Amino acid sequence: MKVGWIDYLNTLPFGIDRFKDITIVKDYPSNLNKLLKEKKIDIGIVSAAEYLENFYQYLIIPDLSISSYKEVNSVIIGSDLPLEDVEVVYLTKESKTSVYLTRVVFEIFLGKKPIYKYFDNYKKRQSVLLIGDKAIEYKKDYKYVYDLSKLWFDKTGLPFTFALWCVNKDFFLKNREKVLDFEKRLKQNVRDFFERLDSLDLDLNKKEYLKNLRYGLDKENIQSIRLFAKYLLELKIIKTYLDIRFTDGRVITADGTQTFYNFDYNEAYHSTKAGAYTESLYKFTLPCKIDKLAKEKEEINILDVGFGLGYNVAVAVKVAKENNSNVRINIVSVEKDENFLERINQMEIPENLQKEYNFIKSLKPSKITLNENIYPSYTASADGVSLTVVLGEGRRILLDLSKSGYKFDAVFYDPFSPKVNTEMWTLDLFKVVKNLMTDKAILATYSASLPVRKGLIEAGFKIGLVEPVGRRSPSTVATIKGDIPELPEKEKQRLETSPLAKPYLDPCLCKTKEEIVKDYQKTAF
């Protein structure tokens, strides 16, 4: 395992010298950014800006960073002029994050754009960005010393995070236990260091400097990183808004709500670009017209395929009750992961869904008989809402629900993507789902896949598109006789002419994902 390392005073608490089973690659922050991006190192303590620019390649080790509240003392603009009078500022090439923060200070906070020039070797200049040991050493050369972390804190009230421990996602997926062991020892090193700091052979100024820094990564740090990303997006330094992904599976999505990464399927449970809450509202609850159903009906029956973290259920209940507090809601959810509640209990619940998640967390183990087959399940009932989460293989559960005579007014179709969970997206399974729906019921799914849309059509549905949220492609709705948007002519033509517009087939509802894909490729190409 190759680990990128910055040999600055502020990295001392991580105790890299304690590791004997890794290869240490020492370099400046900007060079380590490049090495991590190019996969020449596996893990590194890298500039926060590197994560913002290439977050999709990385996972963050949780609870660790190099951050500061107010003064950091090692990231400064030294100047002979007041900050508002600076017209030219020389920038170090050592730290991308500090350069970007300098631009935020001038262009966002002060509303001016000085001339930026880079330097390789330090010499006295009128205004200069200095970081690390050089900042500590040379700040005495200047009349004015502006601590960038202090400027950030004064403007935002938040700490600033300069560096993160990041691991290449592909490396992590193949070496999870090795990485998790490394991060465990890394955190212990930080704890040990500060327990014995006063007894170390360091001069007092260095000890005070290290005590002033923060090495954790809490909610305020995350809020600050997201705000920094927002400013960089305004300055067109980064091209897309980030989500924040951790090695423990947590993902902070674009709308600030939390989801998880499923390492077995190599996908997040929700659209990270739309946000977990936003996706549930705009791709499932509203397209299925839960708000309208609540006003018109005394009772709503919902089928939720892929319970996951429970967002679709929580948002649907909230919207329905807001539109009719007396409506009865019966929800049957299909879920493969028997440990789903454990993950929900680890999740940070959105403030506006606290009541709904308290209900979800009240689920108790039970059993349900469907078509003479007994399934493990979880059930909860309160305030006119009943929820049953049926555990097992999705195709089998849906078939047995159909044979047991269940009918639903809305279907949230939310398995993992057709690429990794192909067996849940076949023409033959859509026929089963169609039999579970009332004539005017609407099925909503995030998928824009041509095989999925073609499969729905051949199963006897009419389909329509929903305005895209968090991506370019519209999501899909389907119904037997219900009211949905008209399918655009351009999409009709694609579904008629594209060689990819062939449904996935699984007549026995028993084929593996690989078998279904192999058969599809024979017909599509």
Side-chain angles (χ1 to χ4, degrees), residues 1-5 16 19-26 32 40-44 165 178 182:
M1 188 164 70
K2 293 181 180 179
V3 178
W5 180 251
I16 202 70
F19 292 93
K20 307 303 180 186
D21 54 348
I22 62 173
T23 300
I24 300 170
V25 180
K26 294 183 180 181
L32 289 179
K40 292 178 180 176
I41 58 175
D42 307 310
I43 301 175
W165 277 97
K178 187 183 293 185
F182 173 78

Side-chain angles (χ1 to χ4, degrees), residues 344-406:
I344 288 172
N345 285 325
Q346 296 169 1
M347 191 172 81
E348 185 175 324
I349 306 301
E351 192 62 38
N352 64 335
L353 294 177
Q354 290 288 338
K355 179 180 177 182
E356 290 74 21
Y357 268 97
N358 286 339
F359 169 70
I360 288 172
K361 289 180 180 182
S362 74
L363 284 164
K364 302 297 182 194
S366 184
K367 293 185 184 298
I368 185 172
T369 301
L370 301 172
N371 189 34
E372 300 183 354
N373 292 312
I374 300 173
Y375 291 90
S377 65
Y378 281 80
T379 60
S381 181
D383 301 324
V385 181
S386 71
L387 170 61
T388 300
V389 181
V390 187
L391 299 176
E393 205 278 330
R395 292 173 293 184
R396 184 182 167 199
I397 294 171
L398 291 173
L399 185 60
D400 282 345
L401 280 169
S402 174
K403 289 181 177 179
S404 298
Y406 280 78

